Amino acid sequence: MFVTRFAPSPTGRLHKGHAFSALAAWGAARAAGGRFLVRIEDIDPTRCRPEFEAGILEDLAWLGLDWEQPVRRQSDHLTDYAGVVDVLDRRGLLYRCFRTRKDILDAIGDAPHGPAEAVRPGPHPADEEATLLANGRPFAWRLSLDRAREALGARAWEALAFVEEGEAPAGERGLIRARPETAGDVVVARKDAGAAYHVAVTHDDDLQGVTHVIRGQDLFEAAHVQVLLQALMGWPTPVYRHHRLLTGEDGRRFAKRDQSVTLEQLRAEGVSPVTLRAELGF
Ligand code: GLU
């Protein structure tokens, strides 16, 4: 059974780019006689707000979409994600990183081989780590690519791959070999903020039986990391369909930060959902 989802983060209202994504996923589920889920990705309490969640659901209903109930809200399941981090930690795949964003950026400037090297800072020496811990300094848990590779074995590492049925940024399609090394040793949790995006997404895609991930090209690189997490956790890798990103009249892509043309605004201006759907090609 085909299962896909639209997984917005309630950090603002939906714009046309989100509408395109949601319509693409919903349309694909309908065409396949499959299931369409909406998942609220609100694990970051500093950026997410409940009123945006309500607004997003209102926008989706206005667009004419329907989805299964109940809607999964990630902030209700933080212990699930912490459990995944715990499993990875007990398998020795994680290390504590006390470096600040500035330390990392400075290191990128100094690194002879570019950013990938700098985002693989490696564990602190044991005595340094003990002092930092004793001083109560905040830290992030990073997934060690070296240890992950060792845990999977060279053969499984070489076989990490996913099927891309959409339009990857460089036009790649079909079976794509995953390159988790591009993202470096990603942060999977922070001491104070809990599990990070990649953990919550892969956990939920598995739990919810998602067979097809349909989302914008801006998340194409994320797939490379997510495939590694799926392999480590024994979760199936869904098929990916990344789609092109819509751009506004100025040629820039729609971004939440400038809240360019929200659906709320369009509705207030009297635009009908039928018109918008036609404009977006649905
Ligand atoms: N929550 C993510 C976002 O709003 C999407 C995650 C995903 O589709 O995998 O950008």
Side-chain angles (χ1 to χ4, degrees):
M1 166 72 100
F2 182 107
V3 183
T4 192
R5 79 314 192 265
F6 175 60
S9 297
T11 56
R13 291 295 289 253
L14 300 184
H15 53 61
K16 284 186 187 176
H18 296 116
F20 183 84
S21 242
L23 284 164
W26 179 80
R30 289 205 112 184
R35 298 170 52 205
F36 173 67
L37 313 173
V38 171
R39 187 166 75 215
I40 299 295
E41 304 212 319
D42 60 344
I43 55 173
D44 181 350
T46 60
R47 298 175 56 233
C48 297
R49 301 227 299 266
E51 59 270 30
F52 289 138
E53 175 185 326
I56 285 170
L57 297 175
E58 196 183 302
D59 293 339
L60 292 174
W62 173 79
L63 258 187
L65 307 197
D66 51 1
W67 56 92
E68 290 185 15
Q69 301 292 340
V71 166
R72 184 171 171 89
R73 183 190 297 119
Q74 291 191 326
S75 61
D76 292 339
H77 304 282
L78 298 180
T79 48
D80 291 8
Y81 314 131
V84 175
V85 174
D86 203 43
V87 167
L88 297 171
D89 183 34
R90 276 188 279 124
R91 287 169 56 193
L93 302 177
L94 309 183
Y95 63 87
R96 289 190 186 87
C97 178
F98 292 84
R99 297 164 186 91
T100 61
R101 186 176 287 267
K102 182 170 182 312
D103 293 340
I104 303 274
L105 289 176
D106 289 350
I108 290 175
D110 294 345
H113 303 296
E117 184 181 11
V119 288
R120 297 184 63 181
H124 296 262
D127 52 342
E128 186 181 305
E129 175 171 330
T131 311
L132 289 162
L133 261 184
N135 291 341
R137 289 271 302 278
F139 61 84
W141 286 108
R142 285 185 185 273
L143 174 64
S144 161
L145 286 176
D146 289 339
R147 296 183 200 167
R149 185 188 196 121
E150 217 172 290
L152 286 179
R155 193 185 290 250
W157 182 270
E158 296 302 321
L160 288 174
F162 59 98
V163 173
E164 174 62 59
E165 287 184 351
E167 306 174 59
E172 307 104 302
R173 263 184 160 232
L175 190 67
I176 295 181
R177 188 166 131 45
R179 293 175 271 101
E181 51 283 352
T182 315
D185 292 346
V186 291
V187 170
V188 293
R190 291 185 196 282
K191 184 187 164 224
D192 305 314
Y197 159 71
H198 292 300
V199 171
V201 165
T202 50
H203 174 277
D204 285 357
D205 283 341
D206 173 62
L207 181 83
Q208 298 188 293
V210 170
T211 60
H212 290 71
V213 169
I214 300 170
R215 61 185 181 189
Q217 282 177 347
D218 50 335
L219 288 164
F220 179 72
E221 289 306 322
H224 293 262
V225 177
Q226 291 169 8
V227 166
L228 172 59
L229 278 173
Q230 287 151 0
L232 289 169
M233 294 301 294
W235 295 330
T237 289
V239 170
Y240 288 89
R241 289 187 191 169
H242 293 94
H243 60 70
R244 70 190 166 86
L245 299 174
L246 293 196
T247 49
E249 276 160 22
D250 58 358
R252 289 175 56 219
R253 76 179 169 91
F254 291 111
K256 243 180 214 165
R257 63 178 172 278
D258 35 71
Q259 277 293 292
S260 44
V261 211
T262 61
L263 303 197
E264 185 185 27
Q265 243 168 286
L266 292 173
R267 185 171 20 168
E269 286 164 16
V271 174
S272 83
V274 176
T275 309
L276 178 61
R277 286 167 66 142
E279 183 194 326
L280 297 175
F282 294 92

